Amino acid sequence: MWYNADMKANNAYCMRGVSVPAIGFGTYLIPKEKTEDCVLRALGCGYRHIDTAAFYGNERETGNAVRRSGLKREDVFVTSKVWASDRGYEKTLAAFDRTMNELGFDYLDMYLIHWPESPSRTPDWEKVNLATWQAMTELYKAGRAKAIGVSNFLPHHLGALMRTEIPPMADQIEYNIGTRQPETVNYCRKHGVLVEAWSPLGRGRLLADERLTAIAAKRGITTAQLCIAWCASQGVLPLPKTTDTARMRENLAALSVRLSDEDIAAIGAIPPFGASGRDPDANGF
């Protein structure tokens, strides 16, 4: 089994022998000119897992922050992603080189396919995904990426990749209390794929929900901490984002929150709400 849903004593997940810090700092929609400062402050707060992507346009600033932090490169887990326009074998290899040039690193901790090619766009969608994955596999085998995976892949996108020499090690999906994607999560659990949660706070949509604020108040924690702790309780690695230093610390402190069975049951009874509406099979890219 590649994926151990139980966090270790050092608050990390184990992914095919690769240790992944159990909470990541997301950088999506952080303005390029603010990214270096935000990531530097996040590292100062104790984050050791930074998530970026070519599409975010802030890889260079992320790499600069890691260097300025004074931390050893091997002590910071950095993820980036290949964008949709660079799917395919040759394009993916070239995109990875650009990402490494932007970050200024000798290796990447994890590289993901940002979005799957889908049957709504082309009848050859599976071939495109497999060609992209072939490039990812070569990067992994060469040691240039210590781990490889996907993002926003549903079970029918994952199927062919799971039968390759090196199946995906992670799937980063929209996941939070209001958007649980049980089919994809269960598929990943069955096949030993680590699930990571983008938008674990529902991009703020969950934070004002009265049901959640009541549970959080009873526990003496923030609603954001409740949402993050709930993700962790489900064996899912959360990637919250904030530009506020105090909230960075609060979010990281959620790792020490242990929800009761009563809390889990109450949250589980809440119907789905607040999804972004992003459908991997309906996106125009």
Side-chain angles (χ1 to χ4, degrees):
M1 192 71 164
W2 294 358
Y3 165 49
N4 178 7
D6 296 321
M7 283 186 286
K8 300 176 182 177
N10 64 347
N11 283 327
Y13 291 87
C14 182
M15 183 178 59
R16 202 183 185 192
V18 177
S19 182
V20 188
I23 184 170
F25 181 75
T27 63
Y28 180 51
L29 293 181
I30 294 180
K32 184 175 183 176
E33 65 275 12
K34 295 183 179 180
T35 298
E36 187 171 334
D37 174 65
C38 284
V39 173
L40 192 60
R41 285 186 285 118
L43 293 169
C45 290
Y47 289 85
R48 294 296 180 265
H49 179 173
I50 308 297
D51 183 84
T52 184
F55 180 73
Y56 300 171
N58 57 22
E59 290 174 312
R60 183 176 296 273
E61 291 71 25
T62 297
N64 288 344
V66 173
R67 282 184 289 278
R68 285 183 58 197
S69 71
L71 295 165
K72 294 179 180 178
R73 171 65 188 91
E74 60 267 26
D75 290 338
V76 184
F77 190 97
V78 179
T79 296
S80 194
K81 312 174 190 75
V82 57
W83 183 241
S85 59
D86 290 317
R87 297 188 191 102
Y89 177 76
E90 296 290 349
K91 284 186 176 182
T92 295
L93 293 178
F96 183 82
D97 286 340
R98 290 195 298 272
T99 280
M100 297 304 286
N101 182 62
E102 287 293 299
L103 287 166
F105 293 164
D106 295 326
Y107 70 90
L108 190 60
D109 296 279
M110 185 154 69
Y111 199 41
L112 306 178
I113 303 176
H114 207 148
W115 288 88
E117 184 58 277
S118 69
S120 66
R121 281 175 43 91
T122 172
D124 291 331
W125 64 276
E126 196 165 71
K127 290 182 179 179
V128 174
N129 287 335
L130 282 168
T132 306
W133 191 249
Q134 181 185 355
M136 305 283 283
T137 300
E138 290 190 12
L139 293 168
Y140 172 73
K141 291 172 72 174
R144 301 188 71 195
K146 303 298 183 183
I148 51 176
V150 297
S151 181
N152 301 299
F153 274 53
L154 304 177
H156 62 276
H157 303 127
L158 284 164
L161 273 57
M162 297 308 300
R163 297 188 291 272
T164 62
E165 178 186 6
I166 309 292
M169 300 162 72
D171 190 2
Q172 187 180 123
I173 63 173
E174 181 177 12
Y175 183 85
N176 54 58
I177 287 172
T179 311
R180 300 169 196 170
Q181 300 206 55
E183 183 180 357
T184 300
V185 172
N186 290 336
Y187 183 94
C188 288
R189 285 173 178 162
K190 179 180 178 181
H191 293 279
V193 178
L194 172 65
V195 177
E196 295 188 323
W198 63 259
S199 191
L201 309 180
R203 295 190 183 165
R205 290 185 291 269
L206 276 63
L207 302 184
D209 185 85
E210 294 180 357
R211 297 160 296 187
L212 299 181
T213 57
I215 296 171
K218 182 183 67 175
R219 296 279 296 168
I221 58 177
T222 68
T223 309
Q225 287 175 325
L226 176 72
C227 294
I228 293 167
W230 178 82
C231 282
S233 76
Q234 304 303 301
V236 174
L237 192 158
L239 299 164
K241 182 204 76 176
T242 180
T243 59
D244 182 89
T245 305
R247 292 196 181 97
M248 290 178 189
R249 295 193 183 99
E250 286 180 1
N251 292 346
L252 196 60
L255 284 177
S256 63
V257 175
R258 296 295 178 265
L259 301 179
S260 68
D261 291 342
E262 181 183 358
D263 295 331
I264 298 294
I267 292 170
I270 297 174
F273 74 101
S276 69
R278 287 283 183 89
D279 180 352
D281 279 327
N283 274 327
F285 46 78

